[in-house]
Amino acid sequence: MLIDLDYFFAQCEERRRPELKDKPIVVCVYSGRTEESGAVSTANYIARGLGVKSGMPIYVAKKKLQNTEAVFLPVDHDYYEAISDRIMNALRDFVNTFEQVSIDEAYLDITEETNGSYESAKKLAEEIRRTIPKTTGITCSVGIGPNKLIAKIASDENKPDGLTVVKPEDVEAYLKPLPISRLPGVGKKTEEKMMQMKVMTIGELAEQDITRLRQFFGEKSGDYFYHAARGIDDEAVHEKSEPNSISRIATLKLNTRELNDIMEKVKQLNTDVHSTLVQRGVTFRSVTVIAVLSDLTVHTRSTALEMSTSSLEVLESVALKLFEKLLRESQKDIRRVGIKVSAFDNTKHQKTLIEFS
Ligand code: TTP
Ligand code: MG
């Protein structure tokens, strides 16, 4: 199963400011040279409907959205990462074998959990698609197939908020009519080359012999296209590296500068972070507190500890100090609070070292 969060950065912005939901939203990477120089990171589906795409220059997007109520926002990576961490941790709880591939994408090997049944797989996907938006406010699209390649292609089928299941016996018929650009690894340049070969669909790619594909694309890519066109992929799902931070973020009942009210919420977040730490068997050496102020600016304060720990008491006292500091150094009310721990040591690993000595 491949889970891809829908228009992720832009959806995070909608979640933070629901009043923007029915407007075109464009999240931008400003290069800073002039006020408008830079590129579109992503956009919500309203903006996409009006022709805006990832990677497009900001001024082109502005032209396309002239005379609309479009909102252009700078990327706020810390905020998206905090939401992503929460979702990825929730997804991890559904399966034994999990692989996060990017900030908004993860593979779940659900063979074991479903006994190989596509019926159960669909039910599991539906459960995930109910749970994630309910707990995190973010929708996702899900693809299910006999391998990572098919799951990935299927996840793109019904975006946003879609679910597509492709059973092994349907793979060939499913792939055949798809445009070649739907195959992972086919970018603009490869697509042009394929066109020269009169290959428009994945079905037509499957008719090419391997020697010709190797001549055109080199041995490695040629082999990949040869197999991918047939839906063949035997890459295992595996956690590449443990995520190197755990974070939680939440909105306060009221915007405030009252330390007690703030710490009440932070305490809940700390407990949540701590239980994930224990579950994962890691200790942290760095603590960051995050505050989104009433004007929606994001402020962080961090501290590095002298020793790695997994203690909830340490986390609480450090968080308290950092929020006191943050309140001293800012004037506005706080709207959202967050906590992040990082710089992990693996306690499981430490234990094995002790066992060896
Ligand atoms: P994607 O999953 O490719 O795109 P998306 O989540 O915005 O939209 P959808 O999945 O509904 O098609 O990428 C995830 C995030 O990565 C995206 O929200 C923003 C960022 N990104 C860029 O910054 N630049 C890019 O060119 C792309 C494609 C994505
Ligand atoms: Mg996405």
Side-chain angles (χ1 to χ4, degrees), residues 236-275:
V237 175
H238 53 84
E239 184 101 37
K240 290 233 167 60
S241 63
E242 292 276 334
N244 45 20
S245 71
I246 297 171
S247 58
R248 295 289 182 276
I249 189 156
T251 306
L252 296 167
K253 266 190 233 117
L254 293 168
N255 293 1
T256 182
R257 287 180 54 78
E258 275 301 320
L259 188 61
N260 284 341
D261 297 343
I262 290 165
M263 289 316 292
E264 195 188 310
K265 183 55 95 185
V266 172
K267 248 192 153 111
Q268 292 170 10
L269 302 180
N270 284 341
T271 312
D272 215 6
V273 165
H274 181 253
S275 73

mmCIF file of all heavy atoms in Angstrom, residues 236-275:
data_model
loop_
_atom_site.group_PDB
_atom_site.id
_atom_site.type_symbol
_atom_site.label_atom_id
_atom_site.label_comp_id
_atom_site.label_asym_id
_atom_site.label_seq_id
_atom_site.Cartn_x
_atom_site.Cartn_y
_atom_site.Cartn_z
ATOM 1 N N ALA A 236 11.666 -4.628 -1.883
ATOM 2 C CA ALA A 236 10.994 -4.853 -0.605
ATOM 3 C C ALA A 236 10.658 -3.521 0.070
ATOM 4 O O ALA A 236 11.320 -2.509 -0.174
ATOM 5 C CB ALA A 236 11.879 -5.681 0.301
ATOM 6 N N VAL A 237 9.623 -3.545 0.898
ATOM 7 C CA VAL A 237 9.302 -2.385 1.730
ATOM 8 C C VAL A 237 10.172 -2.470 2.977
ATOM 9 O O VAL A 237 10.149 -3.465 3.677
ATOM 10 C CB VAL A 237 7.809 -2.401 2.149
ATOM 11 C CG1 VAL A 237 7.505 -1.263 3.107
ATOM 12 C CG2 VAL A 237 6.901 -2.345 0.922
ATOM 13 N N HIS A 238 10.985 -1.463 3.203
ATOM 14 C CA HIS A 238 11.770 -1.482 4.439
ATOM 15 C C HIS A 238 12.051 -0.078 4.929
ATOM 16 O O HIS A 238 12.276 0.838 4.141
ATOM 17 C CB HIS A 238 13.072 -2.257 4.269
ATOM 18 C CG HIS A 238 13.885 -1.786 3.110
ATOM 19 N ND1 HIS A 238 14.738 -0.733 3.177
ATOM 20 C CD2 HIS A 238 13.923 -2.228 1.828
ATOM 21 C CE1 HIS A 238 15.287 -0.542 1.990
ATOM 22 N NE2 HIS A 238 14.802 -1.429 1.151
ATOM 23 N N GLU A 239 12.029 0.053 6.226
ATOM 24 C CA GLU A 239 12.310 1.356 6.851
ATOM 25 C C GLU A 239 13.754 1.708 6.528
ATOM 26 O O GLU A 239 14.677 0.989 6.887
ATOM 27 C CB GLU A 239 12.108 1.250 8.362
ATOM 28 C CG GLU A 239 12.286 2.547 9.101
ATOM 29 C CD GLU A 239 10.956 3.216 9.477
ATOM 30 O OE1 GLU A 239 10.002 2.506 9.815
ATOM 31 O OE2 GLU A 239 10.904 4.447 9.434
ATOM 32 N N LYS A 240 13.965 2.822 5.803
ATOM 33 C CA LYS A 240 15.328 3.171 5.365
ATOM 34 C C LYS A 240 16.138 3.646 6.560
ATOM 35 O O LYS A 240 17.196 3.176 6.858
ATOM 36 C CB LYS A 240 15.270 4.261 4.302
ATOM 37 C CG LYS A 240 14.698 3.743 3.009
ATOM 38 C CD LYS A 240 15.630 4.038 1.835
ATOM 39 C CE LYS A 240 15.231 3.268 0.589
ATOM 40 N NZ LYS A 240 13.875 3.577 0.109
ATOM 41 N N SER A 241 15.597 4.647 7.252
ATOM 42 C CA SER A 241 16.253 5.075 8.481
ATOM 43 C C SER A 241 15.150 5.547 9.399
ATOM 44 O O SER A 241 14.122 6.036 8.944
ATOM 45 C CB SER A 241 17.218 6.202 8.187
ATOM 46 O OG SER A 241 16.489 7.301 7.693
ATOM 47 N N GLU A 242 15.386 5.394 10.654
ATOM 48 C CA GLU A 242 14.396 5.871 11.621
ATOM 49 C C GLU A 242 14.273 7.378 11.457
ATOM 50 O O GLU A 242 15.278 8.052 11.242
ATOM 51 C CB GLU A 242 14.893 5.561 13.032
ATOM 52 C CG GLU A 242 14.926 4.082 13.361
ATOM 53 C CD GLU A 242 13.573 3.577 13.833
ATOM 54 O OE1 GLU A 242 12.785 4.385 14.368
ATOM 55 O OE2 GLU A 242 13.296 2.383 13.662
ATOM 56 N N PRO A 243 13.079 7.937 11.513
ATOM 57 C CA PRO A 243 12.968 9.378 11.450
ATOM 58 C C PRO A 243 13.765 9.984 12.603
ATOM 59 O O PRO A 243 13.823 9.408 13.682
ATOM 60 C CB PRO A 243 11.477 9.633 11.628
ATOM 61 C CG PRO A 243 10.921 8.385 12.178
ATOM 62 C CD PRO A 243 11.820 7.273 11.767
ATOM 63 N N ASN A 244 14.423 11.114 12.343
ATOM 64 C CA ASN A 244 15.323 11.604 13.376
ATOM 65 C C ASN A 244 14.728 12.674 14.278
ATOM 66 O O ASN A 244 15.431 13.381 14.972
ATOM 67 C CB ASN A 244 16.644 12.059 12.770
ATOM 68 C CG ASN A 244 16.378 12.892 11.550
ATOM 69 O OD1 ASN A 244 15.277 13.405 11.403
ATOM 70 N ND2 ASN A 244 17.358 13.026 10.681
ATOM 71 N N SER A 245 13.403 12.791 14.252
ATOM 72 C CA SER A 245 12.768 13.649 15.246
ATOM 73 C C SER A 245 11.346 13.168 15.508
ATOM 74 O O SER A 245 10.766 12.457 14.697
ATOM 75 C CB SER A 245 12.742 15.100 14.766
ATOM 76 O OG SER A 245 11.819 15.240 13.719
ATOM 77 N N ILE A 246 10.822 13.534 16.673
ATOM 78 C CA ILE A 246 9.420 13.251 16.993
ATOM 79 C C ILE A 246 8.814 14.581 17.405
ATOM 80 O O ILE A 246 9.395 15.292 18.233
ATOM 81 C CB ILE A 246 9.292 12.256 18.164
ATOM 82 C CG1 ILE A 246 9.911 10.907 17.781
ATOM 83 C CG2 ILE A 246 7.827 12.073 18.568
ATOM 84 C CD1 ILE A 246 10.017 9.943 18.955
ATOM 85 N N SER A 247 7.691 14.946 16.835
ATOM 86 C CA SER A 247 7.114 16.231 17.209
ATOM 87 C C SER A 247 5.596 16.156 17.288
ATOM 88 O O SER A 247 4.970 15.288 16.689
ATOM 89 C CB SER A 247 7.541 17.299 16.208
ATOM 90 O OG SER A 247 7.141 16.914 14.927
ATOM 91 N N ARG A 248 5.044 17.036 18.078
ATOM 92 C CA ARG A 248 3.595 17.176 18.201
ATOM 93 C C ARG A 248 3.276 18.659 18.221
ATOM 94 O O ARG A 248 4.016 19.458 18.791
ATOM 95 C CB ARG A 248 3.081 16.559 19.507
ATOM 96 C CG ARG A 248 3.249 15.061 19.611
ATOM 97 C CD ARG A 248 2.300 14.321 18.669
ATOM 98 N NE ARG A 248 2.436 12.881 18.825
ATOM 99 C CZ ARG A 248 3.361 12.153 18.211
ATOM 100 N NH1 ARG A 248 4.234 12.715 17.407
ATOM 101 N NH2 ARG A 248 3.412 10.845 18.408
ATOM 102 N N ILE A 249 2.137 19.017 17.627
ATOM 103 C CA ILE A 249 1.742 20.423 17.616
ATOM 104 C C ILE A 249 0.229 20.485 17.815
ATOM 105 O O ILE A 249 -0.475 19.577 17.379
ATOM 106 C CB ILE A 249 2.233 21.111 16.311
ATOM 107 C CG1 ILE A 249 2.056 22.625 16.339
ATOM 108 C CG2 ILE A 249 1.594 20.519 15.073
ATOM 109 C CD1 ILE A 249 3.002 23.367 15.397
ATOM 110 N N ALA A 250 -0.276 21.480 18.548
ATOM 111 C CA ALA A 250 -1.717 21.559 18.797
ATOM 112 C C ALA A 250 -2.147 23.017 18.964
ATOM 113 O O ALA A 250 -1.334 23.880 19.313
ATOM 114 C CB ALA A 250 -2.081 20.769 20.045
ATOM 115 N N THR A 251 -3.430 23.264 18.727
ATOM 116 C CA THR A 251 -3.973 24.615 18.866
ATOM 117 C C THR A 251 -4.497 24.814 20.289
ATOM 118 O O THR A 251 -5.160 23.929 20.836
ATOM 119 C CB THR A 251 -5.125 24.825 17.871
ATOM 120 O OG1 THR A 251 -4.634 24.505 16.562
ATOM 121 C CG2 THR A 251 -5.616 26.265 17.870
ATOM 122 N N LEU A 252 -4.197 25.943 20.891
ATOM 123 C CA LEU A 252 -4.703 26.252 22.235
ATOM 124 C C LEU A 252 -6.190 26.610 22.149
ATOM 125 O O LEU A 252 -6.667 27.057 21.108
ATOM 126 C CB LEU A 252 -3.931 27.440 22.810
ATOM 127 C CG LEU A 252 -2.438 27.198 23.034
ATOM 128 C CD1 LEU A 252 -1.729 28.519 23.306
ATOM 129 C CD2 LEU A 252 -2.222 26.232 24.196
ATOM 130 N N LYS A 253 -6.890 26.425 23.269
ATOM 131 C CA LYS A 253 -8.326 26.756 23.263
ATOM 132 C C LYS A 253 -8.528 28.216 22.922
ATOM 133 O O LYS A 253 -9.382 28.578 22.132
ATOM 134 C CB LYS A 253 -8.927 26.430 24.634
ATOM 135 C CG LYS A 253 -9.541 25.041 24.655
ATOM 136 C CD LYS A 253 -10.351 24.821 25.926
ATOM 137 C CE LYS A 253 -9.892 23.556 26.632
ATOM 138 N NZ LYS A 253 -9.335 23.763 27.956
ATOM 139 N N LEU A 254 -7.716 29.062 23.558
ATOM 140 C CA LEU A 254 -7.772 30.499 23.265
ATOM 141 C C LEU A 254 -6.355 31.001 23.034
ATOM 142 O O LEU A 254 -5.416 30.479 23.637
ATOM 143 C CB LEU A 254 -8.355 31.265 24.474
ATOM 144 C CG LEU A 254 -9.814 31.010 24.796
ATOM 145 C CD1 LEU A 254 -10.156 31.597 26.165
ATOM 146 C CD2 LEU A 254 -10.710 31.628 23.725
ATOM 147 N N ASN A 255 -6.197 32.023 22.202
ATOM 148 C CA ASN A 255 -4.880 32.639 22.067
ATOM 149 C C ASN A 255 -4.517 33.251 23.412
ATOM 150 O O ASN A 255 -5.351 33.916 24.039
ATOM 151 C CB ASN A 255 -4.921 33.749 21.015
ATOM 152 C CG ASN A 255 -5.161 33.191 19.622
ATOM 153 O OD1 ASN A 255 -5.321 31.975 19.452
ATOM 154 N ND2 ASN A 255 -5.200 34.062 18.636
ATOM 155 N N THR A 256 -3.279 33.014 23.858
ATOM 156 C CA THR A 256 -2.938 33.469 25.208
ATOM 157 C C THR A 256 -1.433 33.670 25.382
ATOM 158 O O THR A 256 -0.641 33.180 24.575
ATOM 159 C CB THR A 256 -3.425 32.438 26.255
ATOM 160 O OG1 THR A 256 -3.125 32.921 27.553
ATOM 161 C CG2 THR A 256 -2.733 31.098 26.070
ATOM 162 N N ARG A 257 -1.065 34.392 26.467
ATOM 163 C CA ARG A 257 0.339 34.466 26.897
ATOM 164 C C ARG A 257 0.492 33.909 28.317
ATOM 165 O O ARG A 257 1.539 34.051 28.934
ATOM 166 C CB ARG A 257 0.833 35.930 26.850
ATOM 167 C CG ARG A 257 1.048 36.452 25.438
ATOM 168 C CD ARG A 257 1.528 37.893 25.430
ATOM 169 N NE ARG A 257 2.724 38.106 26.238
ATOM 170 C CZ ARG A 257 3.966 37.778 25.863
ATOM 171 N NH1 ARG A 257 4.164 37.233 24.678
ATOM 172 N NH2 ARG A 257 4.979 38.017 26.648
ATOM 173 N N GLU A 258 -0.595 33.290 28.828
ATOM 174 C CA GLU A 258 -0.570 32.718 30.176
ATOM 175 C C GLU A 258 0.246 31.426 30.199
ATOM 176 O O GLU A 258 -0.141 30.419 29.585
ATOM 177 C CB GLU A 258 -2.006 32.381 30.615
ATOM 178 C CG GLU A 258 -2.769 33.540 31.215
ATOM 179 C CD GLU A 258 -2.075 34.093 32.445
ATOM 180 O OE1 GLU A 258 -1.547 33.283 33.248
ATOM 181 O OE2 GLU A 258 -2.014 35.334 32.586
ATOM 182 N N LEU A 259 1.358 31.436 30.924
ATOM 183 C CA LEU A 259 2.251 30.279 30.932
ATOM 184 C C LEU A 259 1.529 28.993 31.384
ATOM 185 O O LEU A 259 1.721 27.926 30.810
ATOM 186 C CB LEU A 259 3.456 30.566 31.840
ATOM 187 C CG LEU A 259 4.561 29.514 31.800
ATOM 188 C CD1 LEU A 259 5.158 29.371 30.408
ATOM 189 C CD2 LEU A 259 5.663 29.843 32.803
ATOM 190 N N ASN A 260 0.648 29.126 32.395
ATOM 191 C CA ASN A 260 -0.055 27.932 32.893
ATOM 192 C C ASN A 260 -0.934 27.287 31.834
ATOM 193 O O ASN A 260 -0.954 26.068 31.691
ATOM 194 C CB ASN A 260 -0.923 28.291 34.110
ATOM 195 C CG ASN A 260 -0.061 28.465 35.340
ATOM 196 O OD1 ASN A 260 1.071 27.995 35.374
ATOM 197 N ND2 ASN A 260 -0.596 29.166 36.336
ATOM 198 N N ASP A 261 -1.668 28.122 31.105
ATOM 199 C CA ASP A 261 -2.544 27.586 30.053
ATOM 200 C C ASP A 261 -1.716 26.936 28.949
ATOM 201 O O ASP A 261 -2.075 25.886 28.415
ATOM 202 C CB ASP A 261 -3.396 28.711 29.442
ATOM 203 C CG ASP A 261 -4.329 29.323 30.476
ATOM 204 O OD1 ASP A 261 -4.532 28.663 31.528
ATOM 205 O OD2 ASP A 261 -4.831 30.440 30.250
ATOM 206 N N ILE A 262 -0.612 27.587 28.631
ATOM 207 C CA ILE A 262 0.262 27.057 27.579
ATOM 208 C C ILE A 262 0.842 25.714 28.008
ATOM 209 O O ILE A 262 0.793 24.727 27.269
ATOM 210 C CB ILE A 262 1.390 28.072 27.264
ATOM 211 C CG1 ILE A 262 0.790 29.303 26.566
ATOM 212 C CG2 ILE A 262 2.487 27.438 26.403
ATOM 213 C CD1 ILE A 262 1.698 30.498 26.515
ATOM 214 N N MET A 263 1.331 25.671 29.259
ATOM 215 C CA MET A 263 1.988 24.449 29.719
ATOM 216 C C MET A 263 1.005 23.289 29.897
ATOM 217 O O MET A 263 1.393 22.123 29.802
ATOM 218 C CB MET A 263 2.776 24.699 31.015
ATOM 219 C CG MET A 263 4.021 25.544 30.827
ATOM 220 S SD MET A 263 5.046 25.099 29.383
ATOM 221 C CE MET A 263 5.672 23.497 29.885
ATOM 222 N N GLU A 264 -0.251 23.600 30.126
ATOM 223 C CA GLU A 264 -1.252 22.540 30.249
ATOM 224 C C GLU A 264 -1.315 21.754 28.933
ATOM 225 O O GLU A 264 -1.300 20.526 28.917
ATOM 226 C CB GLU A 264 -2.612 23.174 30.567
ATOM 227 C CG GLU A 264 -3.635 22.186 31.060
ATOM 228 C CD GLU A 264 -5.008 22.836 31.158
ATOM 229 O OE1 GLU A 264 -5.115 23.935 31.754
ATOM 230 O OE2 GLU A 264 -5.950 22.252 30.604
ATOM 231 N N LYS A 265 -1.361 22.493 27.823
ATOM 232 C CA LYS A 265 -1.396 21.849 26.504
ATOM 233 C C LYS A 265 -0.063 21.171 26.203
ATOM 234 O O LYS A 265 -0.019 20.042 25.717
ATOM 235 C CB LYS A 265 -1.741 22.920 25.452
ATOM 236 C CG LYS A 265 -1.882 22.427 24.026
ATOM 237 C CD LYS A 265 -2.865 21.306 23.859
ATOM 238 C CE LYS A 265 -4.252 21.764 23.453
ATOM 239 N NZ LYS A 265 -5.229 20.658 23.407
ATOM 240 N N VAL A 266 1.032 21.873 26.532
ATOM 241 C CA VAL A 266 2.367 21.325 26.245
ATOM 242 C C VAL A 266 2.579 20.011 26.988
ATOM 243 O O VAL A 266 3.185 19.073 26.473
ATOM 244 C CB VAL A 266 3.467 22.354 26.615
ATOM 245 C CG1 VAL A 266 4.858 21.744 26.514
ATOM 246 C CG2 VAL A 266 3.380 23.574 25.698
ATOM 247 N N LYS A 267 2.036 19.929 28.207
ATOM 248 C CA LYS A 267 2.146 18.699 29.000
ATOM 249 C C LYS A 267 1.546 17.511 28.248
ATOM 250 O O LYS A 267 2.115 16.428 28.220
ATOM 251 C CB LYS A 267 1.403 18.887 30.323
ATOM 252 C CG LYS A 267 2.322 18.932 31.507
ATOM 253 C CD LYS A 267 1.527 18.832 32.795
ATOM 254 C CE LYS A 267 2.416 18.231 33.833
ATOM 255 N NZ LYS A 267 2.859 18.982 34.888
ATOM 256 N N GLN A 268 0.377 17.735 27.628
ATOM 257 C CA GLN A 268 -0.257 16.659 26.854
ATOM 258 C C GLN A 268 0.638 16.248 25.688
ATOM 259 O O GLN A 268 0.826 15.060 25.414
ATOM 260 C CB GLN A 268 -1.592 17.129 26.266
ATOM 261 C CG GLN A 268 -2.673 17.395 27.284
ATOM 262 C CD GLN A 268 -3.876 18.088 26.632
ATOM 263 O OE1 GLN A 268 -3.985 18.200 25.419
ATOM 264 N NE2 GLN A 268 -4.789 18.575 27.475
ATOM 265 N N LEU A 269 1.199 17.256 25.008
ATOM 266 C CA LEU A 269 2.061 16.964 23.863
ATOM 267 C C LEU A 269 3.309 16.198 24.322
ATOM 268 O O LEU A 269 3.745 15.250 23.666
ATOM 269 C CB LEU A 269 2.480 18.254 23.143
ATOM 270 C CG LEU A 269 1.349 19.136 22.610
ATOM 271 C CD1 LEU A 269 1.919 20.376 21.925
ATOM 272 C CD2 LEU A 269 0.464 18.380 21.628
ATOM 273 N N ASN A 270 3.868 16.612 25.466
ATOM 274 C CA ASN A 270 5.052 15.949 26.007
ATOM 275 C C ASN A 270 4.785 14.470 26.282
ATOM 276 O O ASN A 270 5.606 13.607 25.973
ATOM 277 C CB ASN A 270 5.489 16.617 27.319
ATOM 278 C CG ASN A 270 6.180 17.937 27.079
ATOM 279 O OD1 ASN A 270 6.649 18.206 25.979
ATOM 280 N ND2 ASN A 270 6.238 18.770 28.107
ATOM 281 N N THR A 271 3.628 14.209 26.885
ATOM 282 C CA THR A 271 3.276 12.828 27.211
ATOM 283 C C THR A 271 3.199 11.993 25.942
ATOM 284 O O THR A 271 3.673 10.852 25.889
ATOM 285 C CB THR A 271 1.903 12.801 27.924
ATOM 286 O OG1 THR A 271 1.939 13.793 28.945
ATOM 287 C CG2 THR A 271 1.608 11.465 28.527
ATOM 288 N N ASP A 272 2.624 12.605 24.907
ATOM 289 C CA ASP A 272 2.472 11.941 23.625
ATOM 290 C C ASP A 272 3.838 11.652 22.986
ATOM 291 O O ASP A 272 4.115 10.537 22.533
ATOM 292 C CB ASP A 272 1.665 12.903 22.732
ATOM 293 C CG ASP A 272 0.750 12.164 21.803
ATOM 294 O OD1 ASP A 272 0.664 10.943 21.949
ATOM 295 O OD2 ASP A 272 0.129 12.815 20.945
ATOM 296 N N VAL A 273 4.695 12.670 22.996
ATOM 297 C CA VAL A 273 6.054 12.528 22.452
ATOM 298 C C VAL A 273 6.805 11.451 23.237
ATOM 299 O O VAL A 273 7.461 10.576 22.670
ATOM 300 C CB VAL A 273 6.826 13.873 22.529
ATOM 301 C CG1 VAL A 273 8.321 13.657 22.328
ATOM 302 C CG2 VAL A 273 6.292 14.858 21.503
ATOM 303 N N HIS A 274 6.654 11.507 24.554
ATOM 304 C CA HIS A 274 7.369 10.571 25.413
ATOM 305 C C HIS A 274 6.949 9.137 25.134
ATOM 306 O O HIS A 274 7.785 8.235 25.044
ATOM 307 C CB HIS A 274 7.134 10.923 26.887
ATOM 308 C CG HIS A 274 7.858 10.027 27.824
ATOM 309 N ND1 HIS A 274 7.225 9.074 28.577
ATOM 310 C CD2 HIS A 274 9.183 9.911 28.099
ATOM 311 C CE1 HIS A 274 8.125 8.421 29.281
ATOM 312 N NE2 HIS A 274 9.310 8.918 29.015
ATOM 313 N N SER A 275 5.659 8.898 24.945
ATOM 314 C CA SER A 275 5.227 7.513 24.724
ATOM 315 C C SER A 275 5.755 7.010 23.374
ATOM 316 O O SER A 275 6.112 5.834 23.237
ATOM 317 C CB SER A 275 3.713 7.363 24.852
ATOM 318 O OG SER A 275 3.084 7.920 23.749
#
